[in-house]
Amino acid sequence: MVNCAFTIVAKNYVGLASILEQSIKKYFTDFDFYIVVADDVDEDLKSLLPSNVIVAHENLTIKEELWRDMSFKYDITEFCTSIKPASFKYFFSKGYDKCIYLDPDICFFSSIGIIYDMLDEKSIVLTPHLTRLENVFGGDFTEKGVMQTGVFNLGFCGLRRNNITEELVNWWYSRLTTMCFNDVSKGLFTDQKWMDLIPCYFGENVAISRNLGLNVAPWNFHEREIFVDSGEYKVRYRGDVGSKVYPLVFVHYSGFDYKRLQSGDISRLTMENAKRYRDIDDIMNVYARELQAKSDTFDRFISQKYSYNYYQNGEPIMMFHRKLYVGLTSHGENIDNPFSTEEYMFYQKLKNKKMIIVDGLSKEKVTKKNISGIGAKLTVFNKVSRCVYKILGLNRYLQLLRLMSVFSYKENQIHLLDKKYDTSNIL
């Protein structure tokens, strides 16, 4: 067997990964499928896991010290993404020639074989978020958002084992161990922004697929119309019945509340495509039925807690803690085990400064969209800003804004833990 496909999940998405696997095997069986679990797994849970699970901590060649560093500084999405190159390395080392990575929230509607065929010709297969030029952009996601998150969606990636992809994976691995943050203000969006460079580096070895049936997702619903022809799902450009027709290969159900979807609620949290694009209803209902049919597996795992969201004593790790850790280590601080709650460890520094908050995780989920009384708060803030402007004048006010744009990074708040970082060397 020379073909494999894999996904990477924390414990709670093992059920989704199993649904992905079964959807592929409806149409194609000449491959091995694996679920890489980027989480701690105790012996009781191991007995419940499918036989094709690879526990990342036990199998990937990531040193213990680096594993602790990455699992602490990255959130769940960043961390699962950061081990993607190491996972490709692992499967290539097992002798697989063609490997395909897929996010767990994907479902297939026809054969994955078309992608393996593409890997006969090219070393790398990528899919862009968008494929149609529009003078007036009609997407639900803004073009600015696409520019910030990257040209290609890395919920899918296909690689063929050779010297070219070995070079790619080694380069990608070194970047993601240190710079896999979701931080668009710094030009980073996990692994995706890095892959914008791949056509520049590898040119003719890259297949950038414009097949509309690959990676149909909320960011391109506006350009792709789904319809059924002779009992099979097909895709063409929306509003252009004369455009080329493709078989629907896979849909990426990114960003949905899967518990709600399982109940039959096909509305999305951040937009209402189901109302705007009635043809999308059908593929939403297909996935809802898959979740319902596999409810035993889905329900068994969906409530599992992510191990690296907690210190050793069970108290939650806030994103602010992770950013402070990044700030300290980037300035040479040696933090041996950031998860430890023993005396003199990182946790104790936070506790001494009253930064350990029981409901800290929920507080961090507050955004400008859901914060209460945002209008009144901004009114007060703007009044204060106008007073500051009158005192400082234009030039010094603009200097203050430039300073605050950098100072406001959470990792630059390490002066709260140690006065030696009061000086400008933290900026």
Side-chain angles (χ1 to χ4, degrees):
M1 190 80 69
V2 296
N3 302 326
C4 85
F6 69 97
T7 189
I8 302 172
V9 297
K11 296 190 291 278
N12 62 324
Y13 274 11
V14 169
L16 283 184
S18 296
I19 292 170
L20 164 63
E21 175 187 7
Q22 291 178 27
S23 76
I24 303 175
K25 289 183 175 179
K26 286 180 183 178
Y27 309 101
F28 188 88
T29 58
D30 189 21
F31 79 116
D32 291 331
F33 184 85
Y34 296 96
I35 303 170
V36 179
V37 176
D39 209 339
D40 283 346
V41 180
D42 61 30
E43 292 302 319
D44 290 338
L45 185 62
K46 276 186 179 180
S47 65
L48 301 176
L49 292 173
S51 59
N52 60 338
V53 162
I54 302 295
V55 179
H57 197 181
E58 299 173 2
N59 291 276
L60 302 189
T61 54
I62 301 175
K63 293 181 179 179
E64 184 66 26
E65 181 181 355
L66 181 57
W67 181 274
R68 283 199 301 266
D69 173 69
M70 293 168 63
S71 60
F72 190 89
K73 71 185 177 187
Y74 293 142
D75 67 20
I76 183 172
T77 302
E78 293 167 342
F79 183 59
C80 288
T81 304
S82 73
I83 68 168
K84 198 181 296 181
S87 299
F88 271 109
K89 281 188 174 187
Y90 172 81
F91 292 115
F92 285 150
S93 75
K94 296 299 180 182
Y96 291 104
D97 289 329
K98 292 181 281 187
C99 297
I100 296 172
Y101 169 79
L102 298 156
D103 272 357
D105 51 355
I106 282 173
C107 185
F108 274 72
F109 289 77
S110 61
S111 176
I112 196 175
I114 186 175
I115 303 170
Y116 288 120
D117 291 343
M118 294 168 71
L119 288 170
D120 284 336
E121 303 296 326
K122 300 291 184 178
S123 299
I124 305 160
V125 179
L126 299 171
T127 52
H129 283 103
L130 304 171
T131 60
R132 182 163 67 172
L133 179 69
E134 297 176 291
N135 287 332
V136 179
F137 186 67
D140 300 278
F141 291 74
T142 66
E143 286 180 298
K144 179 182 177 181
V146 174
M147 294 293 287
Q148 290 174 327
T149 58
V151 174
F152 308 107
N153 178 257
L154 265 293
F156 159 79
C157 177
L159 301 181
R160 175 160 54 93
R161 177 166 59 103
N162 54 31
N163 292 337
I164 293 166
T165 51
E166 181 181 4
E167 184 179 4
L168 161 63
V169 169
N170 287 336
W171 170 84
W172 202 19
Y173 175 89
S174 69
R175 298 308 183 273
L176 298 194
T177 55
T178 57
M179 293 179 285
C180 192
F181 297 105
N182 178 2
D183 191 344
V184 296
S185 67
K186 296 182 179 178
L188 298 175
F189 190 77
T190 61
D191 60 340
Q192 286 188 178
K193 289 293 289 183
W194 293 110
M195 296 302 271
D196 285 357
L197 300 170
I198 294 308
C200 306
Y201 294 152
F202 296 101
E204 63 184 13
N205 297 294
V206 185
I208 300 173
S209 177
R210 301 184 73 253
N211 183 326
L212 301 187
L214 300 181
N215 222 347
V216 174
W219 48 81
N220 56 43
F221 282 164
H222 74 285
E223 70 173 24
R224 305 185 192 191
E225 181 182 0
I226 311 296
F227 64 99
V228 177
D229 181 29
S230 301
E232 297 180 348
Y233 285 94
K234 301 293 178 68
V235 192
R236 64 187 170 209
Y237 278 125
R238 187 172 297 282
D240 187 355
V241 295
S243 63
K244 183 177 179 178
V245 173
Y246 299 83
L248 175 59
V249 182
F250 68 87
V251 176
H252 190 170
Y253 297 89
S254 176
F256 289 85
D257 182 330
Y258 303 107
K259 283 188 174 181
R260 284 177 58 185
L261 196 55
Q262 184 190 39
S263 71
D265 182 353
I266 63 172
S267 63
R268 196 168 189 270
L269 296 179
T270 56
M271 61 184 180
E272 296 184 348
N273 285 303
K275 293 181 180 179
R276 185 176 176 189
Y277 313 125
R278 303 310 306 178
D279 57 295
I280 301 300
D281 283 8
D282 198 17
I283 60 172
M284 292 292 105
N285 284 316
V286 167
Y287 199 52
R289 289 193 295 269
E290 290 293 324
L291 290 167
Q292 292 160 4
K294 310 297 188 302
S295 60
D296 287 348
T297 304
F298 177 81
D299 294 341
R300 183 183 304 142
F301 295 103
I302 194 64
S303 297
Q304 290 284 328
K305 292 184 177 180
Y306 177 54
S307 303
Y308 305 126
N309 265 349
Y310 303 92
Y311 292 102
Q312 288 178 348
N313 64 0
E315 293 188 10
I317 300 169
M318 295 175 62
M319 179 55 72
F320 185 49
H321 301 165
R322 299 185 195 274
K323 293 300 184 183
L324 289 174
Y325 169 82
V326 171
L328 289 171
T329 54
S330 66
H331 284 85
E333 294 281 348
N334 181 21
I335 301 175
D336 181 48
N337 182 1
F339 293 97
S340 174
T341 54
E342 295 179 4
E343 193 174 2
Y344 305 118
M345 300 300 283
F346 177 63
Y347 168 89
Q348 292 298 334
K349 291 183 180 180
L350 298 173
K351 189 171 184 179
N352 292 340
K353 297 294 184 179
K354 303 186 186 304
M355 293 182 180
I356 302 295
I357 306 173
V358 174
D359 61 348
L361 292 179
S362 61
K363 295 293 185 184
E364 288 191 317
K365 293 180 181 178
V366 174
T367 69
K368 64 181 180 181
K369 293 181 180 179
N370 61 26
I371 189 172
S372 62
I374 182 66
K377 290 179 172 65
L378 284 176
T379 297
V380 173
F381 182 82
N382 287 335
K383 285 181 179 179
V384 173
S385 298
R386 287 194 292 272
C387 291
V388 173
Y389 171 73
K390 288 180 180 179
I391 295 170
L392 296 180
L394 180 60
N395 285 337
R396 287 191 293 171
Y397 184 76
L398 293 176
Q399 289 173 3
L400 175 64
L401 292 181
R402 286 195 292 271
L403 172 65
M404 292 304 298
S405 68
V406 179
F407 179 78
S408 62
Y409 292 144
K410 293 184 178 70
E411 55 266 40
N412 287 338
Q413 306 309 308
I414 54 178
H415 65 95
L416 298 174
L417 294 176
D418 195 324
K419 291 181 180 179
K420 71 181 180 181
Y421 295 111
D422 274 346
T423 59
S424 59
N425 65 356
I426 68 169
L427 301 180

